[in-house]
Amino acid sequence: MNGKRLTDNGRQIEKIKEVIKGDLLINHPLKEYTSLKVGGPADVIVFPDGREDLIKIIRYLNEEQTPYLILGNGTNLLIGDRGVRDVVISLPPGFNRLELIEGNKSPLIFAEAGVSLVKLVKFCVDHSLSGFEFACGIPGTVGGGIVMNAGGRLGTFEDAIQSITILDHKGKLITQKKEELMFSYRNLQLPPRSIVLSAIFQLKKDNQSHIKRTIQEEMKKRKKTLPLEFPNAGSIFKNPEGKKAGRLIDQAGLKGTQIGGARVSDMHANIIVNSGDATANDVLCLIEEVKTRVYQKTGITLEPEIKIVGEN
Ligand SMILES: Cc1cc2nc3c(=O)[nH]c(=O)nc-3n(C[C@H](O)[C@H](O)[C@H](O)COP(=O)(O)OP(=O)(O)OC[C@H]3O[C@@H](n4cnc5c(N)ncnc54)[C@H](O)[C@@H]3O)c2cc1C
């Protein structure tokens, strides 16, 4: 959005402080809010304490034509070294209601956007519900998972959704059923600047030990293939049609390639790890290097899956 930046006008910060009940922090480092652990500060980050609070903030920002950025668990985000000028709105730790609703045909779950997928998967296991085994080991939130249509071999969010409730940029609540939603590979098309607030998921009753076994097997596979000891943001690139991005990167001989503190993982070529002191610039340069080398070798242009935000 090409709106005014908040720093254009300190009055706005005072006004947001008046409007919201939740916390507000100024010039706050963002790297700790991302799994890659790089990036600069947010001019302002707010933590709305619930739906009403968020609606008030969004209506105010809309009136002022001030852009905003929604933060889930930051596990698919690369934040530039100079940080973010838009107002950052963190949904966790609020928005964490998770409830079982008894549907007519099958069990339903209501989940708010800030619920972590770890909590959601555990909830499903505890209630012997099948349908979210695919999300085990994905470190995001329900909101981030829906927006990214996150998933893997066993399924994606699209499979489990019954409906979602979003807040549009004017602060209006809209509920959309699955049939109205345009999911695609690692994407859900939403009206610009909408925020996913909650979802209802349709699941199946199943044998608890069967669900647990599926999850254990999946976790075993993930542990073998993911460089979990280093900060990372999961897959950097989307898989091109009919191909695996990781295999193309590996075939281009790029495993272990390092720029500054950013390195193409030796375990999984589609993951860039922060080996300790990486900057966002290191990661961005490595992304460009990988794209160029894969293009030179295969003629395929890789498209980033991670969201690159802020200033560098
Ligand atoms: C170790 C590791 C393993 C991973 N494995 C997988 C995997 O197997 N499959 C997979 O698909 N992904 C995987 N990921 C990537 C990531 O976890 C998912 O994309 C996840 O769904 C992102 O959720 P998040 O809450 O962290 O979103 P964030 O990273 O915080 O945000 C991602 C994007 O969604 C937007 N957003 C977040 N919440 C909302 C909301 N409520 N409303 C509107 N916009 C919102 C943000 O603005 C941003 O553009 C992995 C990541 C890591 C670090």
Side-chain angles (χ1 to χ4, degrees), residues 6-268:
L6 194 73
T7 42
D8 294 346
N9 199 339
R11 169 187 64 84
Q12 289 182 314
I13 295 178
E14 289 311 310
K15 182 71 186 174
I16 297 175
K17 276 188 193 163
E18 279 170 30
V19 169
I20 73 158
K21 285 202 220 135
D23 289 336
L24 177 150
L25 300 168
I26 296 171
N27 197 20
H28 191 66
L30 283 179
K31 62 164 76 166
E32 288 312 315
Y33 295 85
T34 73
S35 55
L36 198 50
K37 306 280 180 248
V38 299
D43 285 350
V44 176
I45 179 168
V46 295
F47 302 85
D49 85 344
R51 198 179 264 210
E52 294 313 311
D53 214 17
L54 180 62
I55 291 173
K56 278 194 217 153
I57 298 165
I58 294 302
R59 288 190 179 155
Y60 172 70
L61 295 178
N62 182 51
E63 271 168 30
E64 296 280 324
Q65 291 280 296
T66 301
Y68 52 87
L69 168 73
I70 303 299
L71 196 59
N73 266 350
T75 62
N76 205 43
L77 271 189
L78 172 55
I79 292 174
D81 287 323
R82 295 187 56 226
V84 180
R85 305 291 79 80
D86 300 355
V87 175
V88 178
I89 301 176
S90 174
L91 295 193
F95 296 87
N96 57 11
R97 240 176 81 211
L98 177 61
E99 285 165 15
L100 189 62
I101 325 172
E102 287 303 330
N104 288 340
K105 293 184 204 144
S106 53
L108 303 175
I109 284 182
F110 169 87
E112 283 191 311
V115 170
S116 79
L117 299 183
V118 174
K119 180 171 162 184
L120 178 63
V121 171
K122 181 174 182 311
F123 186 88
C124 291
V125 173
D126 291 346
H127 291 85
S128 303
L129 297 175
S130 171
F132 264 112
E133 293 88 328
F134 75 83
C136 69
I138 303 181
T141 57
V142 164
I146 293 171
V147 171
M148 296 302 304
N149 192 17
R153 269 178 343 109
L154 301 178
T156 64
F157 267 80
E158 180 180 7
D159 304 326
I161 291 273
Q162 193 205 55
S163 66
I164 64 171
T165 298
I166 60 173
L167 188 67
D168 78 3
H169 69 285
K170 291 185 174 158
K172 187 172 153 221
L173 290 167
I174 303 166
T175 295
Q176 290 186 303
K177 293 206 172 106
K178 181 175 186 166
E179 309 80 78
E180 302 168 80
L181 296 172
M182 305 261 286
F183 279 106
S184 56
Y185 169 57
R186 296 293 173 268
N187 191 41
L188 167 62
Q189 208 173 310
L190 288 171
R193 292 183 289 135
S194 342
I195 305 171
V196 174
L197 292 187
S198 63
I200 294 181
F201 299 111
Q202 189 155 29
L203 301 158
K204 279 191 295 214
K205 268 274 173 206
D206 198 357
N207 179 297
Q208 193 180 53
S209 44
H210 180 238
I211 299 171
K212 277 186 180 164
R213 213 168 33 249
T214 308
I215 289 176
Q216 277 160 5
E217 280 164 18
E218 187 62 13
M219 289 305 283
K220 229 191 257 174
K221 284 199 185 116
R222 291 178 73 87
K223 276 183 190 144
K224 270 193 207 153
T225 52
L226 296 180
L228 297 172
E229 71 280 24
F230 291 107
N232 69 79
S235 295
I236 291 287
F237 297 102
K238 291 184 181 179
N239 289 324
E241 185 95 44
K243 308 246 185 270
K244 293 269 181 208
R247 194 161 301 150
L248 297 175
I249 298 167
D250 193 7
Q251 284 166 355
L254 291 165
K255 270 188 176 172
T257 306
Q258 181 139 0
I259 294 183
R263 191 174 70 241
V264 176
S265 164
D266 298 303
M267 271 177 106
H268 192 313

